[in-house]
Amino acid sequence: MSKPTSPAASDSPAFVIPPAPPGSARAQTVRDLNTARSLVSFPVDKLSNIIHGSPDVMKRKKELLALIESDPVFSKANRHHGSREDRMLRSMQMSKRLIEIRDAHKLSDADMWTLRALVDETIVITLHEGMFLPVLRSQCSPEQAKYWIPLAEQYKIIGSYAQTELAHGSNLSGLETTATYIQETDEFEIHSPDITAAKWWIGSLGVMSTHTLVQAKLIINNKDYGPHPFVVPIRDPETHVPFPGVRVGDIGPKMGFNLIDNGWILFHKYRIPRTNLLMRFSQVTSKGQYVKPPHAKLAYSGMVFVRTNLVRMAANALAKAATISVRYAAMRRQFTVVNTAKQQIGMRSSDETPVIMYPMVQARMFPRVAEAYATLFTAQEIESMYHDMMHRLESFDVSTLPAVHANSSALKSYCTGLALDGIEELRRACGGHGFLMSSGLPYLMANYSPNVTYEGENQLLTQQTARYLLKQLHKHQTQSETLHPMVEYLELVSLGGIKAQCTGVSSPTDWFNPSVQRAAFAHRAARLVGELAHQISHEGIPFADLNVECARVSVAHSQFIMVSSFHNTLHKLLKQDASMAVYPALKLVADVFALSEMLKNVGDFTEDGYLSQAQVKCLRQAFKTALHDMMKDAVGLVEAWGYTDYELDSAIGRSDGKIYEALLQRALDDPINQKQGGKGVAKGYQEYIRPLLKGERAPVKLAKL
Amino acid sequence: MSKPTSPAASDSPAFVIPPAPPGSARAQTVRDLNTARSLVSFPVDKLSNIIHGSPDVMKRKKELLALIESDPVFSKANRHHGSREDRMLRSMQMSKRLIEIRDAHKLSDADMWTLRALVDETIVITLHEGMFLPVLRSQCSPEQAKYWIPLAEQYKIIGSYAQTELAHGSNLSGLETTATYIQETDEFEIHSPDITAAKWWIGSLGVMSTHTLVQAKLIINNKDYGPHPFVVPIRDPETHVPFPGVRVGDIGPKMGFNLIDNGWILFHKYRIPRTNLLMRFSQVTSKGQYVKPPHAKLAYSGMVFVRTNLVRMAANALAKAATISVRYAAMRRQFTVVNTAKQQIGMRSSDETPVIMYPMVQARMFPRVAEAYATLFTAQEIESMYHDMMHRLESFDVSTLPAVHANSSALKSYCTGLALDGIEELRRACGGHGFLMSSGLPYLMANYSPNVTYEGENQLLTQQTARYLLKQLHKHQTQSETLHPMVEYLELVSLGGIKAQCTGVSSPTDWFNPSVQRAAFAHRAARLVGELAHQISHEGIPFADLNVECARVSVAHSQFIMVSSFHNTLHKLLKQDASMAVYPALKLVADVFALSEMLKNVGDFTEDGYLSQAQVKCLRQAFKTALHDMMKDAVGLVEAWGYTDYELDSAIGRSDGKIYEALLQRALDDPINQKQGGKGVAKGYQEYIRPLLKGERAPVKLAKL
């Protein structure tokens, strides 16, 4: 029964995928993607310019891509196979090569950011570039800058930024590492009192750094001045062996980011010169005198910059996942149901249905596309606030710092969460293939994942936002201070607006009115801030008992800002002739975003009677219509971001539509298959499989059972 | 400036972590875990018995654990380091060893399931055991069973179950592979018309299988009888080389599950004997006559079994993640805020706060603990329905099949989604350390992840549930058929209940009344089913346009069942003296579950005016109180599941509380650190790091820029 009789078949070791037969599912995917492109209602390049600011960005990206695309060092083939050691070696190799390319072509910092984004790996020099250098630039005194910065820029030293400790992440004031001033030798002694003081998570430290910037409690004459940054040489420049008094290593494999050497370090009474304290803001004199910074919050600007940047990166990451998923949904077909979308497009009822035509797929994917746009336009607003703030700081005007700090924190928290949840939802919406590394989605998700934790844990950040909002409300109510546009809804709290009902909606189309949308988010944010203030001032609940309420307020505030930012952007576009062709499509995206955000938390809008049952019904109907209408533009909306196939590294999101060939080709090229085109015998057969099949059981020590 | 002066330090290559100094953060974690245990209000072993049914389960698990715990083949050290090839070899090695242990100790199937759960890897024999054998057992004719099953049980053949194709997952009727009957030779010819017909995702096929069960369209005399299962020998039993006409391989790396050989296979006019069609339900005679199965749905029972099983596995996976996270939250301290929980426990305000005392951490973690219990009790109910159904099927009574099928589908969809989202939320709630593989959480998440896709994609399954509910409603309304207890709320639709208002709540404590909870979920489910029915019958919307509405209905139905199942379980416990001691704690867990589920979708309960603003305020207050009260029991509630340290494989969830030592020890043992205790030089230094530091740039071909 088990022996087959079989006619001869083509059994050459190399299996070449034959061309797609006409009428096959393979021919269909290519055709479907082109059809989807032909339906797009706007010029994609115009939208691309709005996203990137100018056509030069895309042009430059392509030039830079040409530098690495065919370099085997940067090949993405089999990037998911190697051991952690293999990955670290690749990471070093890529790092070295990038610097060589930089020097040979005299590339700018901006070019290097673009190149690293193309490579799409967080590598062993990423934190040297991303933290070590920026902190040196912002916290060195002029003489220090002259010494350290050229060394770092030329990679004569490699550095990292060591703040977090094994037992203390978010709580900076709980750090245990000390830097004690020793006047006799004019040195600081860096010391880790226990292993819980080990610096931990420090990128570029595990194997690469020659130096690290240590945040340690500054102690002078037994007095603790709190955490300060010190440049600490840790490895011998000639041998790379850690110096006596230093123990340093990698913290081990992670969910993602396995090409970077997140490291740990312990110090044992380790001495550095006094002048290694970064002295732009605070100083210690050789007499052991501490000189305070002119403004306690000046050092915050770096943090604000990073958080602002993370908002834009959230938009990029989400758009990347959306590009893969939406293309796949336009190509993948499943089942022969008949629904309205299929009928409208004139398909036969017997044709299998492109999954993008299912309302459920639209509801899973299109709001994510809209979120990417909303996040981008919000990033653009917060970036210009940041630049204005930096300009003011030059003349020590710190007046806008609290607003920029609070809003960048709220948005870092909300937008990175939105992006991670969105990427994962897009991945799941691709079904089984979304679980394959060759889809590109799991790697994107895993590597994006730490964004919700680093640079301020997302839930923790919401406490700061809430504090800021409470303060603004208090100031407004007691000092009639003019409200910043981003919090102008707080006016409603005092005007009795928190008892309002929505008046602008009596049909679904009313929900497409921007003022109706904005009023709803304003009302809801105002009501929640008002309730929080009431709980503290009238009910006497301690602030620390109100974590969940603070988070709710921060979400409401962030959503208000994002909906407003989108509206502001549309308003600006309306004034530009060149943008008129994309306006209707983007207006629809704005509607999908606003309505989706409202439906996610619809209870917030109904529980106080702001919306009636009929209005919620209209809301759901409007949302459904908007999703349905967005279908024709979906592929154009993702392709406007301009992600190349090299960046996407996705078999199912390919721009040529040949998804099934690509999936199989990746499998054929897999080392496990030993490149024998599906005719080979597995490594391990002799040791493990054959003995099993032949009943050759090894003796097992019979433990007591 | 860069050369340090440093006193001598202990620089021996081996770094031994010193004992925890008294008063240190390390001493505190151990103490905090013990304090948390001492607060638990119930006997943990009693609850453990309720979870596992009897103390024997835990006892047997420990006996089986002893068989593998100290066997290097099953060591979990460095399991996250190897290349994909290394992992596959380990997988084969573990597979062989498990069979040797099985045979030596004559272990039962149940024991083997327990062993594999302990090993906690989906390995190359998992699908042989989990799909190949069960399908043979349920679909072979008696003669076929006698031939094939002993071969498979003794591993003389290794098999897999090949249904999904590259271009067709969910849509079984779209499968392209054909099995054409050739009367002249009394054979079937298995053929893949194009690469899109490649069987894809098939576990145990990529490198292991000698045979695979192929679902192929049965063709006799050009007539298509739809998909049927065939046993197909694919690799030579002597050499393991694929037979002519077969191409087979691994599909490549995945987000998780990298120790299993999910495979692909293509057939070229490949012949097998007629008798290799599994003939329990349908037959083909040597004359080419097709014999229909006695009941078209009989083959469904296997699918129902798998889905039912996935509900219980969802509970287990979630409880495992919760064990790690809740223990960690009880040990991790951060910030010195003063909140009510801290005051009640008599801590000094200057003490750092165990993060479990933050309302936000409670809100992130405790509902997940409650979801694990709710899922378990629901699984127990659906399992007994399944067993009753199987009993009936023996006498061809298929009357309960639709209910069990629909409910197991709804619950598979809802509970696996709940578990995956819960695991990820618990992972994120552990902050940075939750991103480390040594926390155990990322691996658990990645490996659990496919549960939301396989055995019925979760969103797709909701369409079936909705269809079933609509049918039940229709039957009830037109034929006054008695409603199954799981859908008895449908009665409300006809009784005008969908316009009701909640009458039982005027204070927060009213929300702890089970009938109030149940009535709310019943009302909401009834309203949504009623609205869906109305949209179809009165508004004429095609069913295929209502995906999103169907999913909403399925969630509402699942939540109703889960809340009811929890109440039913509590009701049973009340009748058992032995359970009285755990009743109050479990009642609180039930409350946390019901209120959490309600708040997740609170708009569903407010938008039609069922709940008033005051009642929602009470709901939030009641939820907050319940979470706060659950804190004392939290560690007991997770430890009752009885997960061993070997199973958890987590540095931060250790039962001895030594989390910081464990994190550092894992890092020290990491191959990247070359076991030199933080004194070594990285592999790759000479090739990549030194040239970079010394400015030895390799020449770069200057492409046009």
Side-chain angles (χ1 to χ4, degrees):
Chain A
M1 215 149 31
S2 69
K3 189 90 180 73
T5 64
S6 177
S10 161
D11 292 322
S12 62
F15 177 47
V16 178
I17 298 176
S24 67
R26 287 198 275 157
Q28 161 257 308
T29 57
V30 175
R31 205 170 51 237
D32 282 0
L33 186 56
N34 288 328
T35 304
R37 284 176 180 142
S38 71
L39 293 173
V40 175
S41 69
F42 59 87
V44 173
D45 57 336
K46 287 240 163 24
L47 182 53
S48 192
N49 292 345
I50 293 170
I51 292 171
H52 298 295
S54 105
D56 298 341
V57 175
M58 288 296 292
K59 191 169 155 272
R60 184 64 179 167
K61 184 167 89 170
K62 279 179 189 154
E63 290 164 355
L64 293 167
L65 179 59
L67 295 181
I68 57 169
E69 204 175 12
S70 54
D71 186 336
V73 172
F74 300 105
S75 163
K76 290 180 179 171
N78 294 327
R79 72 206 282 219
H80 305 301
H81 283 273
S83 66
R84 181 83 204 291
E85 285 88 337
D86 298 336
R87 286 168 202 235
M88 291 300 288
L89 288 176
R90 270 203 74 214
S91 175
M92 292 178 199
Q93 189 185 23
M94 289 196 287
S95 296
K96 175 167 170 278
R97 191 75 182 153
L98 280 176
I99 304 305
E100 287 164 358
I101 291 171
R102 178 193 76 168
D103 292 353
H105 292 280
K106 304 200 189 326
L107 300 182
S108 68
D109 272 10
D111 284 340
M112 291 304 286
W113 279 106
T114 305
L115 268 184
R116 282 198 302 273
L118 287 168
V119 169
D120 186 33
E121 297 281 8
T122 300
I123 51 178
V124 288
I125 56 161
T126 304
L127 273 285
H128 171 88
E129 296 278 345
M131 286 296 284
F132 185 63
L133 259 167
V135 176
L136 285 180
R137 285 179 186 139
S138 72
Q139 307 218 19
C140 277
S141 69
E143 314 88 84
Q144 288 176 320
K146 215 178 288 172
Y147 180 82
W148 291 109
I149 294 172
L151 287 175
E153 284 178 342
Q154 294 159 35
Y155 278 88
K156 292 185 176 165
I157 63 175
I158 299 173
S160 45
Y161 179 75
Q163 178 172 309
T164 300
E165 294 178 359
L166 187 51
H168 288 94
S170 306
N171 183 13
L172 194 57
S173 64
L175 295 182
E176 296 181 68
T177 307
T178 52
T180 307
Y181 183 59
I182 313 287
Q183 202 175 338
E184 298 73 54
T185 56
D186 200 26
E187 287 176 317
F188 288 109
E189 186 173 273
I190 312 287
H191 186 64
S192 319
D194 190 19
I195 62 157
T196 49
K199 294 294 174 183
W200 193 263
W201 278 116
I202 316 308
S204 300
L205 173 70
V207 305
M208 284 298 276
S209 290
T210 58
H211 291 66
T212 191
L213 284 168
V214 175
Q215 279 285 2
K217 286 191 292 189
L218 169 62
I219 313 276
I220 310 173
N221 291 328
N222 296 317
K223 187 173 168 191
D224 181 352
Y225 290 86
H228 283 71
F230 300 83
V231 194
V232 184
I234 57 168
R235 287 184 171 103
D236 189 305
E238 282 309 311
T239 62
H240 219 56
V241 172
F243 285 121
V246 169
R247 296 222 177 238
V248 59
D250 186 277
I251 64 171
K254 293 146 291 187
M255 179 170 160
F257 274 19
N258 282 307
L259 272 71
I260 185 163
D261 54 338
N262 293 94
W264 57 273
I265 191 164
L266 279 166
F267 298 99
H268 182 78
K269 296 186 178 171
Y270 184 76
R271 299 281 182 96
I272 56 168
R274 175 182 56 87
T275 48
N276 282 22
L277 166 67
L278 294 190
M279 299 217 200
R280 176 160 176 200
F281 298 115
S282 320
Q283 287 102 42
V284 172
T285 68
S286 56
K287 301 260 163 66
Q289 276 172 318
Y290 181 70
V291 184
K292 273 201 301 192
H295 192 290
K297 286 178 180 164
L298 274 179
Y300 279 24
S301 64
M303 196 161 68
V304 173
F305 172 75
V306 173
R307 289 184 186 160
T308 302
N309 212 11
L310 290 179
V311 178
R312 180 173 282 255
M313 285 162 65
N316 291 343
L318 192 49
K320 199 167 177 180
T323 305
I324 296 170
S325 303
V326 169
R327 275 190 186 150
Y328 177 63
M331 293 185 262
R332 175 78 166 179
R333 292 193 180 195
Q334 212 77 177
F335 296 106
T336 53
V337 301
V338 178
N339 68 16
T340 305
K342 200 169 158 186
Q343 282 171 328
Q344 286 177 343
I345 222 154
M347 287 178 69
R348 285 173 307 185
S349 59
S350 61
D351 292 332
E352 269 200 304
T353 318
V355 300
I356 202 171
M357 294 186 183
Y358 287 103
M360 176 55 87
V361 173
Q362 296 172 359
R364 297 178 85 176
M365 293 189 179
F366 297 172
R368 311 294 87 78
V369 176
E371 285 158 15
Y373 279 95
T375 304
L376 174 75
F377 297 141
T378 304
Q380 290 170 347
E381 290 222 335
I382 191 98
E383 281 161 12
S384 66
M385 281 177 72
Y386 170 79
H387 292 305
D388 172 69
M389 178 193 85
M390 289 307 286
H391 186 68
R392 289 165 188 269
L393 285 183
E394 283 169 25
S395 49
F396 294 98
D397 168 5
V398 296
S399 61
T400 62
L401 206 146
V404 182
H405 177 242
N407 285 308
S408 66
S409 299
L411 292 167
K412 184 275 174 185
S413 169
Y414 191 68
C415 296
T416 59
L418 206 58
L420 179 53
D421 291 342
I423 293 165
E424 172 64 6
E425 180 66 15
L426 289 163
R427 189 191 69 71
R428 292 191 204 174
C430 291
H433 294 325
F435 188 65
L436 267 174
M437 293 308 274
S438 58
S439 73
L441 293 167
Y443 204 52
L444 180 53
M445 191 275 280
N447 287 330
Y448 189 75
S449 190
N451 278 270
V452 301
T453 307
Y454 57 40
E455 303 303 332
E457 197 281 327
N458 278 4
Q459 295 308 322
L460 204 58
L461 281 181
T462 63
Q463 312 296 303
Q464 298 180 14
T465 315
R467 261 187 220 282
Y468 166 78
L469 293 172
L470 289 170
K471 206 164 161 185
Q472 295 309 109
L473 177 64
H474 183 73
K475 271 195 193 164
H476 178 66
Q477 289 184 330
T478 57
Q479 303 161 29
S480 312
E481 198 168 282
T482 312
L483 291 162
H484 188 281
M486 283 187 172
V487 291
E488 64 181 21
Y489 62 79
L490 290 175
E491 206 166 48
L492 297 173
V493 183
S494 30
L495 293 174
I498 48 170
K499 295 223 166 100
Q501 287 186 321
C502 169
T503 50
V505 176
S506 54
S507 78
T509 48
D510 292 331
W511 276 117
F512 300 134
N513 179 342
S515 4
V516 166
Q517 294 169 4
R518 198 162 180 282
F521 283 99
H523 164 79
R524 181 268 218 123
R527 176 174 73 86
L528 293 182
V529 178
E531 283 181 11
L532 180 62
H534 190 271
Q535 287 182 298
I536 294 170
S537 58
H538 290 70
E539 300 175 32
I541 303 178
F543 183 78
D545 278 359
L546 294 164
N547 298 169
V548 175
E549 291 78 0
C550 287
R552 226 177 138 203
V553 155
S554 185
V555 167
H557 175 68
S558 302
Q559 288 182 330
F560 171 79
I561 293 181
M562 293 180 77
V563 168
S564 302
S565 296
F566 212 143
H567 291 162
N568 296 345
T569 303
L570 286 174
H571 198 72
K572 271 182 251 161
L573 292 181
L574 263 186
K575 295 183 191 155
Q576 302 163 358
D577 278 353
S579 308
M580 284 314 296
V582 290
Y583 180 84
L586 269 189
K587 169 67 172 67
L588 186 59
V589 174
D591 290 336
V592 166
F593 177 72
L595 306 188
S596 161
E597 291 296 280
M598 205 174 290
L599 282 168
K600 279 183 195 171
N601 304 279
V602 70
D604 281 3
F605 299 86
T606 58
E607 68 182 31
D608 67 337
Y610 180 76
L611 296 185
S612 69
Q613 182 170 9
Q615 288 170 326
V616 175
K617 208 178 162 189
C618 290
L619 175 62
R620 291 191 194 278
Q621 186 54 53
F623 183 53
K624 195 167 174 170
T625 306
L627 288 177
H628 178 271
D629 293 346
M630 192 169 155
M631 189 184 81
K632 64 179 187 318
D633 285 338
V635 168
L637 287 168
V638 297
E639 293 193 336
W641 291 77
Y643 281 108
T644 60
D645 284 329
Y646 177 80
E647 283 165 290
L648 297 177
D649 189 31
S650 170
I652 66 172
R654 283 171 68 95
S655 60
D656 67 4
K658 298 185 173 179
I659 58 177
Y660 295 125
E661 288 90 330
L663 283 165
L664 182 59
Q665 194 58 55
R666 293 249 198 161
L668 287 165
D669 293 343
D670 193 290
I672 294 282
N673 295 325
Q674 303 176 314
K675 310 213 181 211
Q676 295 196 36
K679 303 302 288 181
V681 174
K683 205 166 149 184
Y685 167 70
Q686 289 296 341
E687 300 107 289
Y688 306 117
I689 305 178
R690 191 178 164 84
L692 195 56
L693 290 168
K694 297 294 167 191
E696 295 157 8
R697 308 280 190 264
V700 171
K701 211 182 78 193
L702 283 174
K704 234 188 352 195
L705 242 192
Chain B
M1 221 157 18
S2 69
K3 190 89 179 71
T5 63
S6 176
S10 158
D11 292 324
S12 62
F15 177 46
V16 179
I17 298 176
S24 67
R26 288 197 276 157
Q28 161 258 308
T29 57
V30 175
R31 205 170 51 238
D32 282 0
L33 186 56
N34 288 329
T35 304
R37 285 176 180 141
S38 71
L39 293 174
V40 175
S41 70
F42 60 87
V44 173
D45 58 335
K46 288 238 166 17
L47 181 54
S48 193
N49 293 346
I50 292 170
I51 293 171
H52 298 295
S54 105
D56 298 342
V57 175
M58 287 296 292
K59 193 169 152 271
R60 184 63 179 164
K61 185 168 89 170
K62 279 179 191 156
E63 290 164 355
L64 292 167
L65 180 59
L67 295 180
I68 58 169
E69 203 176 11
S70 53
D71 186 336
V73 171
F74 300 105
S75 162
K76 290 180 179 171
N78 293 327
R79 72 207 281 218
H80 305 300
H81 283 274
S83 66
R84 180 82 205 291
E85 285 89 336
D86 298 336
R87 286 168 202 235
M88 290 301 288
L89 288 175
R90 270 204 73 213
S91 175
M92 293 177 197
Q93 189 185 23
M94 290 196 286
S95 296
K96 175 168 171 279
R97 189 77 182 151
L98 279 176
I99 304 305
E100 286 165 359
I101 291 172
R102 179 193 76 168
D103 291 353
H105 292 279
K106 304 199 191 323
L107 300 182
S108 69
D109 272 10
D111 284 339
M112 290 304 286
W113 280 106
T114 305
L115 268 183
R116 282 198 301 273
L118 287 169
V119 170
D120 186 34
E121 297 280 9
T122 300
I123 52 178
V124 289
I125 56 162
T126 304
L127 273 286
H128 172 89
E129 296 279 345
M131 286 296 284
F132 184 64
L133 259 167
V135 176
L136 285 180
R137 284 179 185 139
S138 71
Q139 307 220 19
C140 278
S141 68
E143 314 88 85
Q144 287 177 321
K146 216 177 288 170
Y147 180 82
W148 290 110
I149 293 173
L151 287 175
E153 284 178 343
Q154 293 159 36
Y155 279 90
K156 291 184 176 166
I157 63 175
I158 298 173
S160 45
Y161 179 76
Q163 178 170 310
T164 300
E165 294 178 357
L166 188 51
H168 288 95
S170 307
N171 183 14
L172 194 55
S173 65
L175 295 181
E176 296 181 68
T177 308
T178 52
T180 307
Y181 182 61
I182 313 288
Q183 202 174 336
E184 299 73 56
T185 55
D186 200 25
E187 288 175 318
F188 288 109
E189 185 172 274
I190 311 288
H191 186 64
S192 319
D194 190 19
I195 62 157
T196 50
K199 295 294 175 183
W200 193 264
W201 276 116
I202 316 308
S204 300
L205 173 71
V207 305
M208 284 298 278
S209 291
T210 59
H211 291 65
T212 192
L213 284 168
V214 175
Q215 279 284 3
K217 285 191 292 189
L218 169 63
I219 314 277
I220 310 174
N221 292 327
N222 297 316
K223 186 172 168 191
D224 180 351
Y225 291 86
H228 283 70
F230 301 84
V231 195
V232 184
I234 57 168
R235 287 185 172 102
D236 190 304
E238 281 310 312
T239 62
H240 219 57
V241 172
F243 284 122
V246 169
R247 296 221 178 238
V248 59
D250 186 276
I251 64 170
K254 294 145 290 188
M255 178 172 159
F257 273 20
N258 282 308
L259 272 71
I260 185 162
D261 55 337
N262 292 94
W264 57 273
I265 191 164
L266 280 165
F267 298 99
H268 183 78
K269 296 185 176 170
Y270 183 76
R271 299 282 181 95
I272 55 169
R274 176 181 55 85
T275 48
N276 281 23
L277 166 66
L278 294 191
M279 299 218 200
R280 176 159 177 199
F281 299 115
S282 320
Q283 286 103 42
V284 173
T285 69
S286 57
K287 303 260 165 63
Q289 277 173 318
Y290 181 70
V291 184
K292 272 202 302 193
H295 193 289
K297 285 179 181 164
L298 273 179
Y300 279 24
S301 64
M303 196 161 68
V304 173
F305 172 74
V306 173
R307 289 184 187 160
T308 302
N309 211 12
L310 290 179
V311 178
R312 181 174 281 255
M313 284 161 67
N316 291 342
L318 192 49
K320 200 167 176 179
T323 306
I324 295 170
S325 304
V326 169
R327 275 191 186 148
Y328 177 61
M331 293 186 263
R332 175 78 166 180
R333 292 194 180 195
Q334 212 77 176
F335 297 105
T336 53
V337 301
V338 178
N339 68 16
T340 306
K342 199 170 160 186
Q343 281 171 329
Q344 285 176 345
I345 222 153
M347 287 178 69
R348 284 175 305 186
S349 60
S350 60
D351 292 332
E352 270 200 303
T353 317
V355 300
I356 202 172
M357 295 187 182
Y358 287 105
M360 177 54 87
V361 173
Q362 296 172 0
R364 298 178 85 176
M365 293 190 178
F366 297 171
R368 312 294 87 77
V369 176
E371 284 158 15
Y373 279 95
T375 304
L376 174 76
F377 298 140
T378 304
Q380 289 170 348
E381 289 222 335
I382 191 99
E383 282 161 12
S384 65
M385 282 177 71
Y386 170 80
H387 292 305
D388 172 69
M389 177 193 85
M390 290 306 287
H391 186 69
R392 288 166 188 269
L393 286 183
E394 283 168 24
S395 49
F396 295 99
D397 168 6
V398 295
S399 62
T400 62
L401 206 146
V404 183
H405 177 240
N407 285 307
S408 65
S409 299
L411 291 168
K412 184 275 173 184
S413 168
Y414 191 67
C415 296
T416 59
L418 206 57
L420 179 53
D421 292 340
I423 292 166
E424 172 64 5
E425 180 65 16
L426 290 164
R427 189 191 69 72
R428 293 191 204 172
C430 290
H433 293 325
F435 188 65
L436 267 175
M437 294 308 274
S438 59
S439 73
L441 292 167
Y443 203 52
L444 180 53
M445 191 277 280
N447 287 330
Y448 190 75
S449 188
N451 277 270
V452 301
T453 307
Y454 56 39
E455 303 303 331
E457 197 282 325
N458 278 4
Q459 295 308 322
L460 205 56
L461 282 180
T462 63
Q463 311 298 301
Q464 299 180 15
T465 316
R467 261 188 220 280
Y468 166 78
L469 293 172
L470 289 170
K471 205 165 162 185
Q472 295 309 109
L473 177 64
H474 183 74
K475 271 193 191 164
H476 178 67
Q477 289 184 330
T478 57
Q479 303 159 30
S480 311
E481 197 168 284
T482 313
L483 291 162
H484 188 281
M486 283 186 172
V487 292
E488 65 183 19
Y489 61 80
L490 290 175
E491 206 167 49
L492 297 174
V493 182
S494 29
L495 292 174
I498 48 168
K499 295 221 166 100
Q501 286 186 322
C502 169
T503 51
V505 176
S506 55
S507 77
T509 48
D510 291 332
W511 277 115
F512 301 134
N513 180 344
S515 2
V516 167
Q517 295 169 3
R518 199 163 180 279
F521 283 98
H523 163 81
R524 182 268 219 122
R527 176 173 74 87
L528 293 181
V529 178
E531 284 181 9
L532 179 62
H534 190 270
Q535 288 182 296
I536 294 169
S537 58
H538 289 70
E539 300 175 31
I541 303 177
F543 183 79
D545 278 359
L546 293 163
N547 298 170
V548 175
E549 292 78 0
C550 287
R552 226 178 138 201
V553 156
S554 186
V555 168
H557 175 69
S558 302
Q559 288 183 330
F560 171 79
I561 293 182
M562 293 181 76
V563 168
S564 301
S565 296
F566 212 143
H567 291 163
N568 296 345
T569 303
L570 286 173
H571 197 71
K572 273 182 251 161
L573 292 181
L574 262 186
K575 295 182 191 156
Q576 301 163 0
D577 280 353
S579 309
M580 284 314 296
V582 289
Y583 180 84
L586 270 188
K587 169 67 173 67
L588 185 60
V589 174
D591 290 335
V592 166
F593 177 72
L595 306 188
S596 160
E597 292 295 280
M598 205 174 290
L599 281 168
K600 278 183 196 171
N601 303 278
V602 70
D604 281 2
F605 299 86
T606 57
E607 68 183 30
D608 68 337
Y610 180 76
L611 295 186
S612 68
Q613 181 170 10
Q615 287 171 326
V616 175
K617 206 179 164 190
C618 290
L619 175 62
R620 291 192 193 278
Q621 186 53 53
F623 183 53
K624 194 168 174 169
T625 305
L627 288 176
H628 178 270
D629 293 346
M630 193 169 154
M631 189 185 78
K632 65 179 184 319
D633 285 339
V635 167
L637 287 167
V638 296
E639 293 194 336
W641 291 77
Y643 281 108
T644 60
D645 284 328
Y646 177 81
E647 285 164 288
L648 297 177
D649 189 29
S650 169
I652 66 171
R654 284 171 68 96
S655 59
D656 66 4
K658 298 186 174 179
I659 58 176
Y660 294 126
E661 288 91 329
L663 283 165
L664 182 59
Q665 193 60 55
R666 292 248 198 163
L668 286 166
D669 293 344
D670 192 291
I672 294 282
N673 295 325
Q674 303 178 315
K675 308 210 183 213
Q676 295 196 36
K679 303 302 289 180
V681 174
K683 206 168 148 182
Y685 166 70
Q686 288 296 342
E687 301 107 288
Y688 305 117
I689 305 178
R690 191 178 164 84
L692 196 56
L693 289 168
K694 297 293 167 190
E696 295 157 8
R697 309 277 190 266
V700 171
K701 211 183 79 191
L702 283 174
K704 234 186 355 194
L705 243 189

